[in-house]
Amino acid sequence: MVDTERVEALFAGALERPVQERAAFLDESCGSNFELRQRVGRLLECFHTPEDPLERPAVVLYRQGARAEPIAADDLTGQRIGPYRVMRRLASGGMGTVWLAERDDEQFIKSVAVKLIKRGMDTDDILQRFRTERQVLANLEHANIARLLDGGATDDGRPYLIMEYVDGLPIDRFCDERRFAIRDRLHLFRQVCSAIQYAHQNLVVHRDLKPSNILITANGTPKLLDFGIAKLLRAGDGQVTTQNAGLRALTPEYASPEQVRGEPVTTATDIYSLGVLLYRLLTGRPPYDVGTGSWPEYQRAICDTEPRKPSTAVLRARATVEKPPARQAPRPSDQEAARLGRVLAGDLDTILLTALRKEPQRRYASVEQFAEDIRRHLEDLPVIARPDTRRYRAGKFIRRNRTSVVIATTLLVLILAFGITSATLAWRLAAQQRALAQALALQQEAREAADVNAAEARQQAERHKTVADLLQETIASAHSASDGGEAASARQMLDHAAQRLDGGELSAQPEVEVAMRLTVGQAYWNLGDDARAADQIARGLLQSLQVFGHDHETTATLLIYKGQLAQRAERPADAEAIYSEALAIAETLNGAERELAGRVLNLLGILYREQGRFADSEITLRRALAIRAELKGHDSHDVGITLRNLSYTLAKLQRFEEAHETIQAAVGVLERVDGPDSVPAIYAAGYIPRIYALQKRSDEAVAGTRELVARLEQVAGADSFSVATMNDRLATLLHSLGRDEEALTAATGSLNILRERFAQSHFQIAAELQLCGEIDAALGRHSEAEAVLREALQMFQSFGDAHPARVSGTAKSLARALRALGRADEADQIEQSLSSEH
């Protein structure tokens, strides 16, 4: 009988030697002990795959039950396994081979992957592991995990598994070949985390996470493979674990310290391996230097050496001269490495080093928490692993609202000049603003500053830094204030700022005044006060023409907002004329400023659809799509939004198959860019039931919209604006189907959220009141309809001339409700008043 201690000692000694010297070493060490020579040779065969050292099969150290027969390398091409005919070999590991096969019983055509134990490897331990994999896969049903379809045994008694065939690339090759940016890699990695978290929730630890076990399909969907050394976290009830006393299994490059030491394995083991995987995806390198790659060197590196910071690893990669490992991404230039180092520094360094901690209890508590920190980083929110200091939170807030902070900084300068020093400066306006024009105006100011002498430029930079530092501290102390008081303070401050602007306080700084007009106008828009918004936008536009001229991005941006105000006021002819003028300017711009053309074309496409000009809408949206794809890539947020809008236009054209394909593409883009549980992705999915409604598939439309409301409640919160919007859409759909009791419940839910969010009158509140009143009337509740419609009418009228169509429609609905109550005289008065106004 062979001494297992001797087997392991020779195995470790052979691994320390170059591949070409191992045979001679074993011949000398084993002498005439043929069985010992076979056992060690078989272990080396399991370990070594010369063409790709990063993708070696898992190391298996046998202590009991191993057989001495040589491993047979059967060629099964053309043979049948169960009802499947083998086509070709896909992959081969130390213990098993995976074959591509097709069903061969004339029932249907289907490609599958067949996993079969190698002849001679059917030891008790390996068979136990195979049964474990079958049990694991049978219990896992997830979109990102390859499914188990069938199983059985060959004529010679070897068990096999029939699995979903995944035609894809390992995750690292997929990202490198498509030259994915860091954000794209992080979004893809979060989908992988979703699959691992699902496995953990089902009490399964994968234990062998590496690129070759995570394939990405052509459409960008990750698929997790190979649960061959997975561990079930509890035994009993027919479940088993593979953490037997006589067996250790791992892949060294991705193994955790506890795996290397032979200690118990938990979900923290997969978290560590995911950390190594993400480290490679982001840096192209392993977290450790392992020298020749011998087993003792792996042990020392994994258990004793602290991993390098990713941000410094990419810089060190440029300084080293050794040949990069197989399938490592091409080394970046010095400039690219420096830029990548800056991207990785900070949160990503912290996130990765947290996942790679030696002590399992100091890593992330779950894969879900790991993925959440990545999401928070992507959205410039404070990460869990970072010390939660006030300065850090404030810095994150500023980074995720860069344009808004620039705008608010300018507003701060103005307000300080007015003598206002209120802590309410950081009202929620700062988080809501996304005014491109202000940023462009300040860029113009910066370009001008570059032309002055260096001393003046430094002084100007110091002034901006001082203001930014003050704003940072202000936001840190104020951005958690309540919605109600915040909104009231915002309106008061806006009114005061508008008065000062109208008083000529910034007449000597016309460029800043243009930016401030747009800032204040947008703020009024966000508060639902379109009349004041239109006034500020009009004044800003007049000044922009004087300061910058007609063919300038600032003028085009102001025109776009003016067009949006006209569109929301249901004045389509005015909106089209304004958009067309903005488009003419945008088409003369170059560089990133050309995106304004994509933006205005997207809005024009929506306007045409609202007018029933569906063919024009399609042409215009496709033009927007081409520009946005060219400037930002096919996988970008703006492309996803335009695809979403195009899908509904195609549905209006009765081209439902194209519409469904397009909306699925839009959802896919937004899920990859913004995340599968992001509000933009869920909103895009909301167009699927809208298309169902146009197809008269009413039950599917209602069910789909309800499901989206529930998803948004989980993702954004039950009292979020997005839930209010989706409830409004549900109410409108149900009302159109005559299901008015259900419609009123949804509309009331939306209205309650809007009233909570906005302390004063708002366009969305008025619109929801109008809908509630019309549903009340349809239910015969005319007294309730009268009260609600009167409130809606008064609110619309308070906006001045901003919404004439809404005023007219609400007044007519109110008149009908009054007639139903027998008050025809009052109804006549309302209608006469409406006629005199027109």
Side-chain angles (χ1 to χ4, degrees):
M1 183 174 179
V2 176
D3 182 359
T4 56
E5 296 285 343
R6 178 67 173 152
V7 171
E8 289 189 20
L10 289 175
F11 175 60
L15 287 177
E16 292 181 346
R17 289 164 169 74
V19 174
Q20 62 271 23
E21 298 178 9
R22 291 175 182 173
F25 167 76
L26 292 181
D27 289 342
E28 180 181 350
S29 301
C30 298
S32 60
N33 192 332
F34 176 73
E35 185 178 0
L36 175 63
R37 177 68 170 78
Q38 279 191 321
R39 290 280 297 277
V40 179
R42 187 161 47 177
L43 288 176
L44 288 171
E45 183 177 344
C46 293
F47 181 76
H48 183 58
T49 306
E51 69 275 12
D52 190 355
L54 295 184
E55 294 306 326
R56 296 167 180 156
V59 177
V60 184
L61 303 183
Y62 293 89
R63 301 184 192 274
Q64 60 186 21
R67 295 185 180 180
E69 293 85 4
I71 302 170
D74 296 339
D75 183 1
L76 302 181
T77 303
Q79 297 184 31
R80 283 174 61 101
I81 297 179
Y84 298 93
R85 184 168 298 280
V86 175
M87 308 301 293
R88 59 183 171 86
R89 186 168 63 181
L90 293 173
S92 184
M95 292 147 289
T97 304
V98 181
W99 304 85
L100 175 66
E102 290 186 352
R103 193 169 180 99
D104 192 36
D105 59 0
E106 300 182 355
Q107 296 296 316
F108 54 86
I109 298 175
K110 182 179 181 65
S111 296
V112 298
V114 180
K115 185 171 184 177
L116 179 68
I117 288 182
K118 284 184 179 179
R119 192 185 307 277
M121 293 300 295
D122 49 343
T123 67
D124 293 340
D125 284 322
I126 301 304
L127 290 173
Q128 178 73 0
R129 184 183 310 161
F130 207 77
R131 286 191 291 269
T132 298
E133 182 174 13
R134 181 175 59 193
Q135 178 67 37
V136 166
L137 289 172
N139 292 333
L140 298 181
E141 287 287 341
H142 190 277
N144 299 120
I145 297 177
R147 292 175 294 120
L148 175 68
L149 303 176
D150 200 354
T154 61
D155 292 341
D156 59 358
R158 285 184 290 162
Y160 64 81
L161 301 178
I162 305 295
M163 297 176 295
E164 172 188 2
Y165 169 56
V166 180
D167 185 9
L169 291 174
I171 186 170
D172 55 346
R173 287 182 55 195
F174 182 89
C175 292
D176 291 342
E177 290 184 10
R178 285 158 179 76
R179 302 184 67 83
F180 267 19
I182 292 295
R183 293 184 66 85
D184 299 324
R185 293 169 189 247
L186 291 173
H187 283 302
L188 189 62
F189 181 78
R190 289 192 72 237
Q191 294 184 59
V192 175
C193 287
S194 172
I196 302 299
Q197 177 64 18
Y198 172 81
H200 289 181
Q201 289 170 344
N202 284 271
L203 305 178
V204 174
V205 180
H206 189 282
R207 296 204 300 169
D208 196 22
L209 295 171
K210 55 188 177 183
S212 62
N213 283 342
I214 303 167
L215 299 186
I216 313 299
T217 65
N219 67 359
T221 301
K223 288 285 187 177
L224 184 59
L225 311 176
D226 199 353
F227 284 79
I229 64 170
K231 175 187 174 184
L232 293 167
L233 289 177
R234 68 182 179 192
D237 300 324
Q239 294 183 329
V240 294
T241 76
T242 61
Q243 192 66 19
N244 298 325
L247 183 65
R248 255 196 304 158
L250 54 86
T251 299
E253 290 84 358
Y254 299 90
S256 67
E258 60 268 26
Q259 282 179 290
V260 170
R261 291 191 292 259
E263 296 171 354
V265 168
T266 67
T267 55
T269 300
D270 281 350
I271 292 171
Y272 184 93
S273 298
L274 284 171
V276 179
L277 174 66
L278 183 58
Y279 196 109
R280 284 189 176 278
L281 286 179
L282 300 187
T283 69
R285 297 176 61 81
Y288 311 103
D289 286 326
V290 192
T292 61
S294 68
W295 179 240
E297 285 178 307
Y298 271 115
Q299 288 178 306
R300 286 192 295 271
I302 294 170
C303 297
D304 302 325
T305 305
E306 290 300 323
R308 300 182 299 270
K309 281 188 177 181
S311 58
T312 60
V314 293
L315 298 175
R316 183 176 177 181
R318 289 293 305 163
T320 55
V321 295
E322 76 276 4
K323 183 179 178 181
R327 288 189 187 171
Q328 180 171 305
R331 288 206 181 122
S333 66
D334 289 335
Q335 185 177 7
E336 290 171 335
R339 182 192 61 79
L340 181 56
R342 288 192 297 270
V343 173
L344 297 177
D347 283 349
L348 287 176
D349 275 344
T350 302
I351 289 169
L352 282 166
L353 295 180
T354 299
L356 292 173
R357 283 173 176 159
K358 305 297 183 187
E359 307 87 353
Q361 66 273 15
R362 296 185 62 224
R363 297 172 202 153
Y364 284 104
S366 66
V367 175
E368 185 177 30
Q369 192 181 74
F370 188 4
E372 171 64 11
D373 247 7
I374 294 172
R375 182 192 70 80
R376 297 179 71 84
H377 166 75
L378 288 168
E379 297 180 8
D380 277 323
L381 295 167
V383 300
I384 300 165
R386 191 78 176 265
D388 194 18
T389 64
R390 179 177 177 180
R391 184 175 183 83
Y392 172 65
R393 291 197 311 271
K396 298 299 288 185
F397 180 84
I398 288 174
R399 279 192 291 276
R400 70 176 180 269
N401 296 280
R402 294 178 190 275
T403 303
S404 305
V405 169
V406 170
I407 298 164
T409 302
T410 307
L411 182 57
L412 176 60
V413 175
L414 176 63
I415 292 176
L416 288 176
F418 296 160
I420 299 173
T421 57
S422 170
T424 58
L425 176 65
W427 30 270
R428 291 176 71 101
L429 169 65
Q432 296 170 347
Q433 298 307 325
R434 290 182 299 179
L436 178 61
Q438 291 87 326
L440 293 172
L442 289 176
Q443 288 172 6
Q444 174 69 19
E445 182 181 339
R447 286 194 293 267
E448 293 170 358
D451 296 331
V452 303
N453 63 63
E456 289 178 348
R458 282 195 299 272
Q459 290 173 3
Q460 186 176 24
E462 285 298 321
R463 287 196 297 271
H464 280 296
K465 182 180 184 301
T466 301
V467 173
D469 288 345
L470 177 58
L471 178 66
Q472 177 170 317
E473 291 299 320
T474 304
I475 290 175
S477 62
H479 82 271
S480 61
S482 64
D483 282 358
E486 199 101 15
S489 297
R491 184 177 291 275
Q492 292 168 6
M493 293 186 72
L494 277 174
D495 291 344
H496 187 73
Q499 290 169 12
R500 295 289 186 171
L501 281 170
D502 295 345
E505 296 280 349
L506 288 176
S507 57
Q509 298 173 279
E511 297 91 346
V512 177
E513 185 173 354
V514 171
M516 288 310 308
R517 292 286 185 189
L518 184 50
T519 299
V520 175
Q522 268 202 298
Y524 278 128
W525 162 283
N526 287 331
L527 292 175
D529 195 337
D530 290 2
R532 287 188 174 89
D535 178 65
Q536 292 299 320
I537 295 296
R539 290 170 183 262
L541 180 58
L542 181 61
Q543 289 171 318
S544 182
L545 289 168
Q546 295 170 350
V547 174
F548 301 114
H550 184 269
D551 296 331
H552 191 273
E553 64 265 27
T554 303
T555 302
T557 303
L558 282 155
L559 282 168
I560 289 173
Y561 283 111
K562 183 178 179 181
Q564 285 183 280
L565 283 161
Q567 187 172 357
R568 190 154 87 172
E570 298 177 350
R571 292 187 281 111
D574 291 346
E576 182 179 357
I578 297 166
Y579 284 148
S580 297
E581 184 179 358
L583 180 60
I585 299 171
E587 288 177 334
T588 67
L589 303 175
N590 297 314
E593 295 162 357
R594 279 188 59 222
E595 207 288 316
L596 283 176
R599 181 177 168 190
V600 71
L601 283 167
N602 185 66
L603 291 167
L604 260 174
I606 297 170
L607 179 67
Y608 289 149
R609 186 179 66 223
E610 290 173 349
Q611 293 176 278
R613 297 163 57 183
F614 303 130
D616 290 340
S617 176
E618 180 188 3
I619 292 170
T620 306
L621 288 170
R622 290 194 185 280
R623 287 178 62 194
L625 192 61
I627 291 173
R628 289 182 152 183
E630 177 188 349
L631 294 177
K632 297 192 174 182
H634 291 280
D635 260 12
S636 66
H637 176 84
D638 288 349
V639 164
I641 295 300
T642 307
L643 282 170
R644 181 198 72 187
N645 295 331
L646 177 60
S647 72
Y648 200 53
T649 292
L650 292 171
K652 289 285 190 179
L653 286 165
Q654 304 291 302
R655 288 153 57 184
F656 294 117
E657 184 175 351
E658 286 182 76
H660 280 291
E661 290 175 356
T662 304
I663 192 57
Q664 293 293 349
V667 172
V669 168
L670 292 171
E671 285 184 341
R672 288 191 294 275
V673 173
D674 297 314
D677 290 328
S678 65
V679 171
I682 298 174
Y683 257 71
Y687 277 65
I688 298 173
R690 295 184 76 182
I691 296 170
Y692 285 154
L694 292 176
Q695 292 179 277
K696 309 301 183 185
R697 296 163 63 177
S698 303
D699 290 343
E700 291 169 276
V702 172
T705 308
R706 288 192 192 280
E707 180 183 349
L708 290 162
V709 170
R711 285 184 65 191
L712 284 170
E713 286 177 341
Q714 291 181 339
V715 170
D719 60 347
S720 64
F721 185 78
S722 57
V723 170
T725 302
M726 196 60 71
N727 261 321
D728 171 76
R729 188 177 294 175
L730 176 61
T732 303
L733 173 61
L734 290 166
H735 182 43
S736 70
L737 296 172
R739 296 164 61 174
D740 290 313
E741 289 286 357
E742 298 172 77
L744 187 59
T745 300
T748 302
S750 177
L751 180 62
N752 291 339
I753 294 172
L754 293 170
R755 287 193 189 277
E756 284 292 323
R757 290 186 62 84
F758 302 105
Q760 300 187 31
S761 61
H762 189 284
F763 169 78
Q764 292 295 127
I765 294 177
E768 205 64 40
L769 283 167
Q770 181 186 8
L771 177 60
C772 286
E774 290 171 353
I775 296 173
D776 275 328
L779 288 169
R781 301 170 51 179
H782 300 296
S783 295
E784 291 86 348
E786 178 196 358
V788 174
L789 289 169
R790 280 193 188 278
E791 184 181 358
L793 181 59
Q794 290 170 0
M795 199 173 294
F796 280 129
Q797 289 173 332
S798 72
F799 301 142
D801 298 330
H803 301 282
R806 286 283 188 174
V807 170
S808 175
T810 307
K812 290 177 181 177
S813 295
L814 176 58
R816 285 193 294 271
L818 290 170
R819 282 200 170 85
L821 290 168
R823 293 153 60 186
D825 292 343
E826 293 179 63
D828 291 341
Q829 288 177 3
I830 289 174
E831 291 177 341
Q832 289 169 7
S833 173
L834 191 63
S835 299
S836 64
E837 290 177 2
H838 292 282

